[in-house]
Each structure stands twice: as C-alpha cells, then as structure tokens.
C-alpha cells in the first residue's frame, strides 16, 4: 500500500470518462457526478455520444462517455480543456484529443490490457497514443481495469465501469458510502447477486487505487443548507411540463430530445396524464393541437428535423389560434446533420418556418434551472395569447447536469382553469380586441360556444373569406398579440457595467461560458459586458438603448456565419449568425458576430480570446483615428 500520499488541493477539475459505446462509461460518470452533487460540489456535466447506434468498437467513432466539471463553488458551463481522462481504450482517448477537448498536461488513466494485446495493431496504437501524451507533457497511469474486474466477476467487460467508478472515487476523495448508495439505487430492480457484485466492483476499484496511487485530489465541498437537486435539462423540461399542468405529451423519438419524453413517461401517467408516441412527427403535433383545441393542455417535444416535419401544422396552430407549446432540443444541421452534437441553428427556422406570416413566441432557456421554469411560462403565454410558443433548448442543456436549488412550486404557478362557462350570445371565435389582438378562446362542447374553425383565411366569425380587408385584418390581429406580449416584458439585464468597449450578446446555453469569459477579461482590465436574451420573439425591449452604451456590439453563437477574410466574402454578401441577423434587422444597428459550429459547447478560453482580440482592434482603431486627427491638425 502506498504511504505518505500527496494531497493536491484544487478549486476545480475537468474530468472525462470515455469508453466504447455500451461499455458503461456514461453510467460510471453519471454516478460519479451524482455523488459530487450530493456532497455539495459545484457541477456541470455533458455527454459524449457516438453518432451511430452501433459503431465499430475500438474506433474514435465509438466513443461514449461524459465530461464533468467539478468545483468548490458554483459552475455554469462545461469549462475549458479536460485535465483528467479515464479511458477504457486508447482510441476513445484519441477521439477527445481530436475534438480539441484535452489539455496537453492531461492525466490519462487507461486500461493497460491494450499494451500486451494479441492484436499487434492495438499494441502499436496504444504505444503511439500514450507516447504522444507523455511527449506533450501529460502523465499516463496504466491500470489493469479488465484484469482486476475479472477477479470479481466472470464478464469483466460488463463490470469494469463500476471498478473505474471506485478508482476515480478514491482519487477525488468521494464519499464511499454515497457511492454505495447510488450503485444500490442504480441496480435496485436487479437481483441481490447483481447488486452485491457491483458493490464489490466499486469497493475493489476504490481499494486498488488506495493501494497503488501515491496522491489524491482534494476539492472542498460544502453541503447546502437548502434542498438541492441535480438533473439534466431534458429532465428539467419534463418536470417543468408537469409543474405547468400539461396533461399530454405527444411525441416521436428523436435525438437528443427523446429522454425528455422518457422522463415524462415515468411520471405523467401516475399524475393523470399520458405520453403518446405517435407514428411520426407530423402526427405528434397533430395530436397535440387536437388536444389543446379540445381544452386538454398538451405539448410536443422534438429536435430540428422534427421541427421541419411539423412546419405545416405550426401554421395551422397560428391560423386557428390554438395554444401550443413545442420544445425543440436543437442539434447540428442541416437535414439530419449531427444528431448527437450541439448547435444553435434553429432560431430563424423557428421564427419563419411556416408558410406566409405566422407569428410565434420563441423562448430560449439558458440554464438547466431555466428549463424547468420556462415551461410554466410557456403554457401561460400559449393559453393567454392563444399562440404557438417554441422553447429552444439544445444538446448541451439536454444532456448536461447541474446542481441548483430545488424549485419551489405552488398551484399559483399554474394557469387558471379553462373557462368553460356558458358563452354569451353573439360571441365570435375570433372577436379580436383591436388594441391587443386577443380574443376569447372557445372550447368544443362549451354551452353557446359552437363555432366554425378553419385553416383558411377567415373573419371574426371563423367563416372562410377571400376578400382583401379580412385577410389584412387577420394578419394584423395575429401579429398584434406579439406586440401586446412585448409590452409585458422587461429589458434584459446587462452582466457587468452598462457602458464599455464591447458588449457580447448571447442566447441559450452559451450564457454561462460567455459570463465566465467576460469575468476573466474584466479581471485583466478589459471593458466588456454581456447580455443574454431569454425572449427571441418578441425581442425584449430596450435593446437599442443598451447597445448604444458600447463601442461595439457582437453576438457569440453556436451556428454558422461567414468570416471576414474568407474567399469572396464582402460587406454585401456576408452571412451573419442567426441572432446577429435578427438584431441587425430589428435595431438597424451594426451588430457584428463571432460564431462557430464545432459540435461541442464553447469553452470560456475561446470566448476570452475573442474578447481580447476584438477590444485590441477597437483600441487600435481609436489610436489610428487619433493619429489621423493629430496629423490633420498639424497640416492646418
């Protein structure tokens, strides 16, 4: 047993568990992360998911696992480069290097079975990849994970993830009792033998690390005095849907949205609701619209390709003014694109993806906690304004885990019950208020509420018309509701001073990363602030006033834009990122952008680099102008 162990104090660390798909690295990582949350550490995790269902093993395309950012205090994003990677094979590790996710001085903990494998190709790749780690300043610790696992269970491939969990639990001084509790809960539906074997594997990994490691990491944890929860964004969406009082979720499976409906399936029926798996995406939205039309609150959950298929029915919801909430868990595109990777590419399609003018409300939560609360807001808006509300999350929020204060809920949070009282004689289904565009919602079967509903252009009575005046009025009233909603919104808060050299504008899950990068830059003396937009349609008020306080305004987004200096790109043809496009048209201000589509979350270090570069440009331009003015004055 190693003695006189060195304890290395840390404020935070970024750890990755990676293996071939199906080997259980995700299960081990999730258990490790849950333990950290229960111990009171700050936490953010994100899944590493292979694009194929059954990729070839021992290849970079087969990598599955999790990134965990573990800290003493609050964590708002997945951080920079991984400092520790525990890999079940060298190709899983290589895939993370190729993704640009690993620090040069990484600690690689890897199964040593490949060093002496029967296949010479495996031995050679193992030697080369581990050698590269050492040459870049990294450290390699070889551990016989599979060999040690075989001493406890017959099938070492199915059990080594629990051995790895124990090993990492010891290295990071995780509470072994909490680890045992989590493993017991994980296998609670299995036999007693299965539970005992997995506990033995956990303890075996812990003991092996204790006997062979001569150091441990220490990241202080402070147990919370208030109830806390750890969950991912899809679970938060599901719980938020329950809290909002939805009684039906109609969906069709699609990555990375499916787990939200799985979470709902576990609990919704017991609360009197149901999850309906339709035959396709089009049927799913049709069922949700029909349910809402009949007075039963329903939502549908999907991702980008599903949103494309739902386009025609979105227009139906807008034209008939039937309340509807759609959750779009964005992924890479276009077409089927990158099913398991993050992107923020659905903003413009959400706004404009329906024939004609079809105004919609678009809301983008920026934290996992927001994913819960925004669902209550979305239902209220949908029903009060009789509108289609789109909630834009993304793969980062969907699969990431964060610890936060348990939300408080009361029945006051729910929308009021649907008014089913007798309808006064002469009430029309579209009695639009000329100022707000709002009208009373009529429910089939409501006394006195018999009416006509059509997807064609119609008048206030709901009857089909083709004249210019009624068509104009219908468009005005449907749009007026957006203006009415915008008047209830507050201006977004500025993160940092309200004046300075540079303002970064973001939306969705980039918020934590942008804010951290801004903090770093401000600590170095740079005058930079940030704004995150919750509402993207209608946009929140006061943006022009906020933007005018800064020398330059730019968005940072996980979608595509042309770069200055690229071949053929000019001021006349440059394509801007999606929020920048929107802000430029709404404010008529010169809003610039920096965007990329790496298929992973941004790192704070990347955004910090952008901030420093842009402010240096601003300072350089100011100095050049001063020189020209001075020179001109001298000539006079």
């Amino acid at each position: 047993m190693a003695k006189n162990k060195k304890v290395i104090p840390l404020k935070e660390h970024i750890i990755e568990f990676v293996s071939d798909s199906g080997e259980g690295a995700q299960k081990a990582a999730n258990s490790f992360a849950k333990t950290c949350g229960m111990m009171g550490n700050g936490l953010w995790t994100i899944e590493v998911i292979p694009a194929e269902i059954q990729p070839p093993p021992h290849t970079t395309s087969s990598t599955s696992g999790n990134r965990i950012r573990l800290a003493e205090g609050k964590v708002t994003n997945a951080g920079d480069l991984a400092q520790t990677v525990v890999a079940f094979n060298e190709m899983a590790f290589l895939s993370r290097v190729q993704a640009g996710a690993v620090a040069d001085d990484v600690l690689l903990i890897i199964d040593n079975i490949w060093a002496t494998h029967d296949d010479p190709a495996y031995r050679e790749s193992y030697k080369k990849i581990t050698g590269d780690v050492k040459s870049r300043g990294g450290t390699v610790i070889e551990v016989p994970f599979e060999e040690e696992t075989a001493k406890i269970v017959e099938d070492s491939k199915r059990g080594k993830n629990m051995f790895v969990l124990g090993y990492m639990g010891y290295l990071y001084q995780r509470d072994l009792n909490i680890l045992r509790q989590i493993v017991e809960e994980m296998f609670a539906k299995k036999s007693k033998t299965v539970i005992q074997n997995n506990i033995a594997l956990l303890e075996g990994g812990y003991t092996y690390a204790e006997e062979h490691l001569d150091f441990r990491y220490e990241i202080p944890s402070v147990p919370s005095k208030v109830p806390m929860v750890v969950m991912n964004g899809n679970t938060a969406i599901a719980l938020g849907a329950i809290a909002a009082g939805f009684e039906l979720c109609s969906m069709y499976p699609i990555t990375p949205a499916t787990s939200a409906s799985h979470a709902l399936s576990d609990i919704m029926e017991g609360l009197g609701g149901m999850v309906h798996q339709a035959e396709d995406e089009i049927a799913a939205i049709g069922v949700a619209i029909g349910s809402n039309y009949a007075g039963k609150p329903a939502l549908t959950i999907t991702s980008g390709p599903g949103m494309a298929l739902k386009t025609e029915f979105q227009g139906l919801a807008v034209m008939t003014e039937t309340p509807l909430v759609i959750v779009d868990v964005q992924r890479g595109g276009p077409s089927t694109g990158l099913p398991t990777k993050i992107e923020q590419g659905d903003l413009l399609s959400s706004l404009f993806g329906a024939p004609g003018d079809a105004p919609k409300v678009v809301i983008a939560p920026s934290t996992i906690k927001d994913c819960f609360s925004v669902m209550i807001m979305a239902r209220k808006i949908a029903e009060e304004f009789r509108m289609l509300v789109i909630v834009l999350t993304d793969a980062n929020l969907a699969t990431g885990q964060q610890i936060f204060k348990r939300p408080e809920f009361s029945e006051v949070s729910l929308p009021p019950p649907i008014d089913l009282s007798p309808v006064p004689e002469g009430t029309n289904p579209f009695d639009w208020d000329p100022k707000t565009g709002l009208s009373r919602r009529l429910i089939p079967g409501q006394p006195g509420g018999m009416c006509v509903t059509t997807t064609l252009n119609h008048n206030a009575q709901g009857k089909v018309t083709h004249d210019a005046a009624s068509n104009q009025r219908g468009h005005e009233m449907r749009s007026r509701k957006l203006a009415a909603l915008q008047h209830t919104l507050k201006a977004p808060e500025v993160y940092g001073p309200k004046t300075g050299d540079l303002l970064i504008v973001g939306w969705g899950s980039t918020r934590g990363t942008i804010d951290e990068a801004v903090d770093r830059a401000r600590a170095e003396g740079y005058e930079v602030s940030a704004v995150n937009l919750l509402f993207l349609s209608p946009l929140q008020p006061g943006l022009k006033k906020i933007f005018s306080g800064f020398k330059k305004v730019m968005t940072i987004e996980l979608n595509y834009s042309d770069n200055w200096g690229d071949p053929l790109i000019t001021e006349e043809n440059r394509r801007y990122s999606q929020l920048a496009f929107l802000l430029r048209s709404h404010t008529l201000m010169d809003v610039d952008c920096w965007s990329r589509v790496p298929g992973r979350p941004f790192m704070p270090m990347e955004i910090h680099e952008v901030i420093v570069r842009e402010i240096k440009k601003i300072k350089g331009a100011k100095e050049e102008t001063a020189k020209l003015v001075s020179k001109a004055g001298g000539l006079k």
Side-chain angles (χ1 to χ4, degrees):
M1 180 180 293
K3 300 192 180 189
N4 301 320
K5 295 182 186 292
K6 180 181 179 182
V7 176
I8 303 172
L10 302 168
K11 289 191 174 294
E12 68 166 59
H13 233 215
I14 298 171
I15 309 152
E16 292 197 356
F17 289 63
V18 289
S19 70
D20 273 346
S21 179
E23 285 192 305
Q26 284 193 4
K27 186 172 286 187
N30 286 332
S31 300
F32 183 88
K34 188 174 181 180
T35 301
C36 297
M38 291 175 69
M39 290 177 65
N41 289 107
L43 183 71
W44 188 285
T45 79
I46 186 166
E47 291 182 357
V48 179
I49 311 173
E52 301 173 54
I53 295 174
Q54 287 186 317
H58 212 99
T59 63
T60 54
S61 62
S62 181
T63 304
S64 174
N66 282 69
R67 159 179 284 234
I68 301 168
R69 188 180 185 187
L70 168 63
E72 179 180 358
K74 183 179 178 181
V75 174
T76 63
N77 62 85
D80 292 325
L81 301 172
Q83 294 143 318
T84 299
V85 177
V86 55
F88 290 24
N89 65 66
E90 79 284 359
M91 299 307 290
F93 173 74
L94 179 62
S95 73
R96 304 306 296 151
V97 175
Q98 292 174 344
V102 178
D104 285 344
D105 61 350
V106 66
L107 169 63
L108 170 60
I109 301 169
I110 188 166
D111 195 330
N112 70 354
I113 189 175
W114 312 107
T116 57
H117 198 275
D118 293 340
D119 189 328
Y122 287 169
R123 295 199 302 270
E124 184 60 31
S125 65
Y126 180 88
K127 180 179 178 182
K128 181 180 185 308
I129 291 167
T130 54
D132 287 346
V133 172
K134 296 172 185 175
S135 68
R136 292 196 305 271
T139 302
V140 178
I141 296 180
E142 298 175 312
V143 182
F145 287 133
E146 198 159 314
E147 180 184 331
E148 290 296 317
T149 300
K151 295 177 181 178
I152 301 171
V153 293
E154 289 184 11
D155 189 349
S156 59
K157 291 185 182 298
R158 292 180 61 85
K160 62 181 174 182
N161 62 333
M162 291 296 101
F163 189 91
V164 168
L165 174 60
Y167 187 96
M168 297 299 286
Y170 177 83
L171 176 59
Y172 283 89
Q173 299 195 56
R174 301 297 89 188
D175 189 315
L176 184 56
N177 288 325
I178 295 178
L179 286 166
R180 287 193 191 100
Q181 175 189 333
I182 289 171
V183 172
E184 287 175 357
E185 291 173 355
M186 187 191 314
F187 296 99
K189 295 182 180 180
K190 302 289 185 180
S191 68
K192 186 175 181 180
T193 300
V194 170
I195 295 172
Q196 289 174 340
N197 284 344
N198 280 283
I199 292 293
L201 287 166
L202 170 76
E203 293 173 345
Y206 197 94
T207 300
Y208 183 91
E210 184 178 23
E211 292 174 347
H212 292 84
L213 286 173
D214 60 2
F215 71 98
R216 300 178 83 182
Y217 293 126
E218 182 179 57
I219 301 176
S221 59
V222 182
S224 175
K225 296 180 181 179
V226 298
M228 304 290 285
V229 291
V230 178
M231 67 181 72
N232 64 33
N234 275 357
T235 300
I237 286 287
L239 294 176
I242 296 294
F246 285 102
E247 297 179 39
L248 171 69
C249 173
S250 181
M251 49 68 67
Y252 184 78
I254 185 169
T255 302
T258 306
S259 66
S261 54
H262 286 172
L264 275 171
S265 298
D266 290 339
I267 53 179
M268 205 169 197
E269 188 173 346
L271 296 169
M274 66 176 293
V275 174
H276 168 67
Q277 181 173 322
E279 62 265 35
D280 55 39
E281 293 280 6
I282 300 171
I285 187 173
V287 168
I289 290 174
S291 178
N292 283 307
Y293 181 74
K296 284 291 186 181
L299 78 156
T300 185
I301 303 174
T302 189
S303 191
M307 286 291 282
L309 291 167
K310 296 179 190 293
T311 299
E312 185 176 359
F313 264 129
Q314 290 183 45
L316 182 148
V318 173
M319 180 62 91
T320 61
E321 300 185 41
T322 302
L324 177 65
V325 174
I326 302 176
V327 177
D328 175 10
V329 186
Q330 299 169 96
R331 69 190 213 185
S335 188
T336 48
L338 298 171
T340 62
K341 308 297 183 183
I342 180 179
E343 204 165 293
Q344 293 179 307
D346 295 354
L347 173 54
L348 295 183
S349 65
S350 294
L351 289 171
F352 306 124
D357 184 70
K360 311 156 194 168
V361 177
V362 179
I363 310 172
S366 60
T367 67
I368 292 170
K369 183 178 180 180
D370 282 351
C371 289
F372 174 88
S373 59
V374 83
M375 296 303 295
I376 300 170
M377 181 195 306
R379 184 190 163 193
K380 283 185 176 181
I381 292 172
E383 294 185 358
E384 290 178 17
F385 290 83
R386 295 182 66 185
M387 293 193 76
L388 167 57
V389 178
I390 297 173
V391 176
L392 286 179
T393 73
D394 58 44
N396 184 21
L397 291 174
T399 66
Q401 291 188 89
Q402 187 180 28
I403 183 168
F404 56 92
K405 182 180 176 183
R406 187 175 69 192
E408 294 181 4
F409 173 75
S410 70
E411 292 190 4
V412 178
S413 304
L414 291 171
I418 295 172
D419 183 3
L420 295 176
S421 61
V423 178
E425 188 176 348
T427 300
N428 293 315
F430 302 100
D431 268 338
W432 295 299
D433 181 285
K435 182 177 180 180
T436 64
L438 300 178
S439 58
R440 177 170 177 171
R441 179 184 177 193
L442 303 182
I443 304 297
Q446 191 172 3
M450 184 177 292
C451 63
V452 175
T453 303
T454 174
T455 63
L456 292 165
N457 182 65
H458 53 260
N459 58 20
Q461 290 76 40
K463 295 183 178 180
V464 177
T465 59
H466 299 290
D467 61 287
S470 67
N471 188 48
Q472 180 69 29
R473 180 161 178 76
H475 277 75
E476 288 173 350
M477 293 300 98
R478 290 189 293 272
S479 182
R480 194 70 46 82
K481 293 188 288 186
L482 271 184
L485 174 59
Q486 197 260 3
H487 276 273
T488 70
L489 304 180
K490 296 179 180 179
E493 293 184 3
V494 178
Y495 186 76
K498 295 182 179 180
T499 59
D501 289 325
L502 179 64
L503 178 69
I504 301 295
V505 186
W507 62 283
S509 68
T510 58
R511 180 177 187 169
T513 312
I514 289 173
D515 288 352
E516 183 170 331
V518 166
D519 287 341
R520 293 183 189 180
R522 291 199 63 81
E524 295 168 355
Y526 294 100
E527 295 182 13
V528 57
S529 299
V531 162
N532 180 274
L533 300 183
L534 173 62
F535 278 84
L536 302 169
S537 175
L539 285 165
Q540 289 157 264
L543 295 181
K544 289 187 75 169
K545 182 179 179 181
I546 292 171
F547 292 177
S548 64
F550 296 86
K551 296 184 178 72
K552 181 170 185 175
V553 178
M554 68 184 300
T555 68
I556 286 184
E557 306 177 61
L558 280 162
N559 52 54
Y560 182 77
S561 64
D562 292 327
N563 297 314
W564 293 119
D566 283 352
L568 305 179
I569 300 304
T570 68
E571 290 186 2
E572 293 181 334
N573 65 21
R574 186 194 181 198
R575 295 177 61 222
Y576 285 80
S577 59
Q578 296 190 20
L579 179 59
F581 175 93
L582 195 62
L583 294 176
R584 289 171 70 87
S585 66
H586 273 262
T587 64
L588 299 181
M589 298 177 73
D590 185 15
V591 178
D592 200 356
C593 64
W594 183 85
S595 70
R596 295 290 185 273
V597 282
R600 58 163 175 78
F602 286 138
M603 298 180 185
M605 58 186 274
E606 294 172 306
I607 298 177
H608 173 264
E609 182 181 334
V610 173
I611 291 170
V612 171
R613 183 173 65 243
E614 291 300 323
I615 291 182
K616 285 182 177 179
K617 286 181 186 177
I618 293 168
K619 297 291 188 184
K622 184 178 179 181
E623 291 172 3
E624 189 64 28
T625 300
K627 288 178 183 178
L628 291 173
V629 170
S630 175
K631 186 176 180 181
L635 291 173
K636 290 178 182 177

